[in-house]
Amino acid sequence: MRGSAFFQRAFRVSQEHPTFFKLLIVTTVSGGGLLTFSDASPFQRSITGASSQNEGKKKKVVVLGTGWAGTSFLKNLKNSSYDVQVVSPNNFFAFTPLLPSVTNGTVEARSIVEPIRNIVKKKPYNVEFEEAECYKIDPVNKKVYCRSNQSSTLDGIEEFTVDYDVLILAMGARVNTFNTPGVEEHAHFLKEVGDAQKLRKSIIDCYERASLPGVSEEEKKRMMHFVVVGGGPTGVEYAAELHDLAFDDMAKLYPSAKDYLKITLLEAGDHILNM
């Protein structure tokens, strides 16, 4: 009964003093409910009107990157009260676990990529995309400085700035070379679709050169020795894919080079797949 008397007094006060009183009470007792709300003063309406004007201006969300993190964010963002702008050197999302299969032709590159415009075109908010790279961020003025990654542009504009209210950094990371001399200049990486395509072409070139007449035995052994550095999931899977490619397909196409094939997997730890 004390609760009932309290609600009655609260309702009476809200009716007698609507100018400065704002009360919201919700309770449930045996399936019943009571709700009282008062918000009818001119002062309160003016505040509400100003708030509505501020809410009418959409916030600008800038997403840097179209990899796993950036694409997942775009897929899960369902609020239409934002304007979204995506900036990335790649205009597609790549399913990276299948990159080792791209190197040997088991899977084509076009099968593991999806244009980012196809992903966001069905979203309930406006999305703009620029194929460019970010080279500077000004957190004080909330600006992102970008430049086109194309060799030339049609309109001659290669650099531009993007304003933001919310900035999503989803650019991923670089391959760690551990400051080993010569890696950047002579090794192949397997992180992007372009890396897999270059690696595939390099393997074919090695087979072709090893099949040329006049090539010495030592040179053939050097050309047909493939070294995979890293005993993690990517390195182990790629070594297995390369083995299958060499013995199932390339041995039939290049019979003179198959006897010189050697695949080496290097890992700094005492066993592979240590994670």
Side-chain angles (χ1 to χ4, degrees), residues 208-216 220 256:
E208 291 291 352
R209 284 181 293 180
S211 301
L212 292 174
V215 179
S216 65
K220 287 183 179 181
S256 62

mmCIF file with all atom_site columns, all heavy atoms in Angstrom, residues 208-216 220 256:
data_model
loop_
_atom_site.group_PDB
_atom_site.id
_atom_site.type_symbol
_atom_site.label_atom_id
_atom_site.label_alt_id
_atom_site.label_comp_id
_atom_site.label_asym_id
_atom_site.label_entity_id
_atom_site.label_seq_id
_atom_site.pdbx_PDB_ins_code
_atom_site.Cartn_x
_atom_site.Cartn_y
_atom_site.Cartn_z
_atom_site.occupancy
_atom_site.B_iso_or_equiv
_atom_site.pdbx_formal_charge
_atom_site.auth_seq_id
_atom_site.auth_comp_id
_atom_site.auth_asym_id
_atom_site.auth_atom_id
_atom_site.pdbx_PDB_model_num
ATOM 1  N N   . GLU A 1 208 ? 59.816 -23.360 -66.183 1.00 0.00 ? 208 GLU A N   1
ATOM 2  C CA  . GLU A 1 208 ? 60.156 -23.105 -67.579 1.00 0.00 ? 208 GLU A CA  1
ATOM 3  C C   . GLU A 1 208 ? 61.667 -22.944 -67.759 1.00 0.00 ? 208 GLU A C   1
ATOM 4  O O   . GLU A 1 208 ? 62.256 -23.484 -68.699 1.00 0.00 ? 208 GLU A O   1
ATOM 5  C CB  . GLU A 1 208 ? 59.432 -21.851 -68.067 1.00 0.00 ? 208 GLU A CB  1
ATOM 6  C CG  . GLU A 1 208 ? 57.925 -21.996 -68.198 1.00 0.00 ? 208 GLU A CG  1
ATOM 7  C CD  . GLU A 1 208 ? 57.526 -22.926 -69.343 1.00 0.00 ? 208 GLU A CD  1
ATOM 8  O OE1 . GLU A 1 208 ? 58.404 -23.336 -70.128 1.00 0.00 ? 208 GLU A OE1 1
ATOM 9  O OE2 . GLU A 1 208 ? 56.325 -23.254 -69.438 1.00 0.00 ? 208 GLU A OE2 1
ATOM 10 N N   . ARG A 1 209 ? 62.315 -22.220 -66.865 1.00 0.00 ? 209 ARG A N   1
ATOM 11 C CA  . ARG A 1 209 ? 63.754 -22.008 -66.997 1.00 0.00 ? 209 ARG A CA  1
ATOM 12 C C   . ARG A 1 209 ? 64.527 -23.304 -66.737 1.00 0.00 ? 209 ARG A C   1
ATOM 13 O O   . ARG A 1 209 ? 65.557 -23.562 -67.367 1.00 0.00 ? 209 ARG A O   1
ATOM 14 C CB  . ARG A 1 209 ? 64.213 -20.923 -66.021 1.00 0.00 ? 209 ARG A CB  1
ATOM 15 C CG  . ARG A 1 209 ? 63.838 -19.521 -66.475 1.00 0.00 ? 209 ARG A CG  1
ATOM 16 C CD  . ARG A 1 209 ? 64.319 -18.461 -65.500 1.00 0.00 ? 209 ARG A CD  1
ATOM 17 N NE  . ARG A 1 209 ? 63.620 -18.550 -64.220 1.00 0.00 ? 209 ARG A NE  1
ATOM 18 C CZ  . ARG A 1 209 ? 63.840 -17.749 -63.190 1.00 0.00 ? 209 ARG A CZ  1
ATOM 19 N NH1 . ARG A 1 209 ? 64.759 -16.794 -63.272 1.00 0.00 ? 209 ARG A NH1 1
ATOM 20 N NH2 . ARG A 1 209 ? 63.166 -17.880 -62.074 1.00 0.00 ? 209 ARG A NH2 1
ATOM 21 N N   . ALA A 1 210 ? 64.025 -24.109 -65.795 1.00 0.00 ? 210 ALA A N   1
ATOM 22 C CA  . ALA A 1 210 ? 64.697 -25.383 -65.529 1.00 0.00 ? 210 ALA A CA  1
ATOM 23 C C   . ALA A 1 210 ? 64.538 -26.368 -66.676 1.00 0.00 ? 210 ALA A C   1
ATOM 24 O O   . ALA A 1 210 ? 65.322 -27.334 -66.775 1.00 0.00 ? 210 ALA A O   1
ATOM 25 C CB  . ALA A 1 210 ? 64.155 -25.995 -64.243 1.00 0.00 ? 210 ALA A CB  1
ATOM 26 N N   . SER A 1 211 ? 63.587 -26.154 -67.548 1.00 0.00 ? 211 SER A N   1
ATOM 27 C CA  . SER A 1 211 ? 63.349 -27.051 -68.681 1.00 0.00 ? 211 SER A CA  1
ATOM 28 C C   . SER A 1 211 ? 64.086 -26.622 -69.942 1.00 0.00 ? 211 SER A C   1
ATOM 29 O O   . SER A 1 211 ? 64.021 -27.319 -70.956 1.00 0.00 ? 211 SER A O   1
ATOM 30 C CB  . SER A 1 211 ? 61.845 -27.135 -68.959 1.00 0.00 ? 211 SER A CB  1
ATOM 31 O OG  . SER A 1 211 ? 61.140 -27.617 -67.836 1.00 0.00 ? 211 SER A OG  1
ATOM 32 N N   . LEU A 1 212 ? 64.755 -25.507 -69.902 1.00 0.00 ? 212 LEU A N   1
ATOM 33 C CA  . LEU A 1 212 ? 65.484 -25.029 -71.076 1.00 0.00 ? 212 LEU A CA  1
ATOM 34 C C   . LEU A 1 212 ? 66.722 -25.883 -71.329 1.00 0.00 ? 212 LEU A C   1
ATOM 35 O O   . LEU A 1 212 ? 67.381 -26.349 -70.379 1.00 0.00 ? 212 LEU A O   1
ATOM 36 C CB  . LEU A 1 212 ? 65.897 -23.567 -70.886 1.00 0.00 ? 212 LEU A CB  1
ATOM 37 C CG  . LEU A 1 212 ? 64.779 -22.530 -70.856 1.00 0.00 ? 212 LEU A CG  1
ATOM 38 C CD1 . LEU A 1 212 ? 65.349 -21.150 -70.519 1.00 0.00 ? 212 LEU A CD1 1
ATOM 39 C CD2 . LEU A 1 212 ? 64.038 -22.492 -72.191 1.00 0.00 ? 212 LEU A CD2 1
ATOM 40 N N   . PRO A 1 213 ? 67.064 -26.086 -72.601 1.00 0.00 ? 213 PRO A N   1
ATOM 41 C CA  . PRO A 1 213 ? 68.292 -26.856 -72.899 1.00 0.00 ? 213 PRO A CA  1
ATOM 42 C C   . PRO A 1 213 ? 69.539 -26.056 -72.524 1.00 0.00 ? 213 PRO A C   1
ATOM 43 O O   . PRO A 1 213 ? 69.551 -24.833 -72.584 1.00 0.00 ? 213 PRO A O   1
ATOM 44 C CB  . PRO A 1 213 ? 68.212 -27.067 -74.410 1.00 0.00 ? 213 PRO A CB  1
ATOM 45 C CG  . PRO A 1 213 ? 67.346 -25.951 -74.913 1.00 0.00 ? 213 PRO A CG  1
ATOM 46 C CD  . PRO A 1 213 ? 66.351 -25.678 -73.817 1.00 0.00 ? 213 PRO A CD  1
ATOM 47 N N   . GLY A 1 214 ? 70.560 -26.758 -72.122 1.00 0.00 ? 214 GLY A N   1
ATOM 48 C CA  . GLY A 1 214 ? 71.811 -26.103 -71.771 1.00 0.00 ? 214 GLY A CA  1
ATOM 49 C C   . GLY A 1 214 ? 71.913 -25.669 -70.335 1.00 0.00 ? 214 GLY A C   1
ATOM 50 O O   . GLY A 1 214 ? 72.967 -25.163 -69.923 1.00 0.00 ? 214 GLY A O   1
ATOM 51 N N   . VAL A 1 215 ? 70.881 -25.836 -69.535 1.00 0.00 ? 215 VAL A N   1
ATOM 52 C CA  . VAL A 1 215 ? 70.928 -25.463 -68.113 1.00 0.00 ? 215 VAL A CA  1
ATOM 53 C C   . VAL A 1 215 ? 71.637 -26.569 -67.339 1.00 0.00 ? 215 VAL A C   1
ATOM 54 O O   . VAL A 1 215 ? 71.321 -27.758 -67.482 1.00 0.00 ? 215 VAL A O   1
ATOM 55 C CB  . VAL A 1 215 ? 69.515 -25.227 -67.554 1.00 0.00 ? 215 VAL A CB  1
ATOM 56 C CG1 . VAL A 1 215 ? 69.583 -24.862 -66.080 1.00 0.00 ? 215 VAL A CG1 1
ATOM 57 C CG2 . VAL A 1 215 ? 68.810 -24.147 -68.340 1.00 0.00 ? 215 VAL A CG2 1
ATOM 58 N N   . SER A 1 216 ? 72.597 -26.179 -66.516 1.00 0.00 ? 216 SER A N   1
ATOM 59 C CA  . SER A 1 216 ? 73.391 -27.154 -65.775 1.00 0.00 ? 216 SER A CA  1
ATOM 60 C C   . SER A 1 216 ? 72.574 -27.834 -64.684 1.00 0.00 ? 216 SER A C   1
ATOM 61 O O   . SER A 1 216 ? 71.505 -27.346 -64.279 1.00 0.00 ? 216 SER A O   1
ATOM 62 C CB  . SER A 1 216 ? 74.614 -26.472 -65.160 1.00 0.00 ? 216 SER A CB  1
ATOM 63 O OG  . SER A 1 216 ? 74.202 -25.516 -64.186 1.00 0.00 ? 216 SER A OG  1
ATOM 64 N N   . LYS A 1 220 ? 69.641 -26.222 -62.255 1.00 0.00 ? 220 LYS A N   1
ATOM 65 C CA  . LYS A 1 220 ? 68.295 -26.794 -62.164 1.00 0.00 ? 220 LYS A CA  1
ATOM 66 C C   . LYS A 1 220 ? 67.922 -27.074 -60.707 1.00 0.00 ? 220 LYS A C   1
ATOM 67 O O   . LYS A 1 220 ? 66.788 -26.833 -60.287 1.00 0.00 ? 220 LYS A O   1
ATOM 68 C CB  . LYS A 1 220 ? 68.222 -28.088 -62.983 1.00 0.00 ? 220 LYS A CB  1
ATOM 69 C CG  . LYS A 1 220 ? 68.220 -27.874 -64.481 1.00 0.00 ? 220 LYS A CG  1
ATOM 70 C CD  . LYS A 1 220 ? 68.068 -29.199 -65.207 1.00 0.00 ? 220 LYS A CD  1
ATOM 71 C CE  . LYS A 1 220 ? 68.045 -28.988 -66.717 1.00 0.00 ? 220 LYS A CE  1
ATOM 72 N NZ  . LYS A 1 220 ? 67.885 -30.258 -67.456 1.00 0.00 ? 220 LYS A NZ  1
ATOM 73 N N   . SER A 1 256 ? 61.039 -33.325 -67.251 1.00 0.00 ? 256 SER A N   1
ATOM 74 C CA  . SER A 1 256 ? 62.489 -33.207 -67.106 1.00 0.00 ? 256 SER A CA  1
ATOM 75 C C   . SER A 1 256 ? 62.898 -32.447 -65.854 1.00 0.00 ? 256 SER A C   1
ATOM 76 O O   . SER A 1 256 ? 64.072 -32.499 -65.457 1.00 0.00 ? 256 SER A O   1
ATOM 77 C CB  . SER A 1 256 ? 63.083 -32.512 -68.339 1.00 0.00 ? 256 SER A CB  1
ATOM 78 O OG  . SER A 1 256 ? 62.564 -31.188 -68.473 1.00 0.00 ? 256 SER A OG  1
#
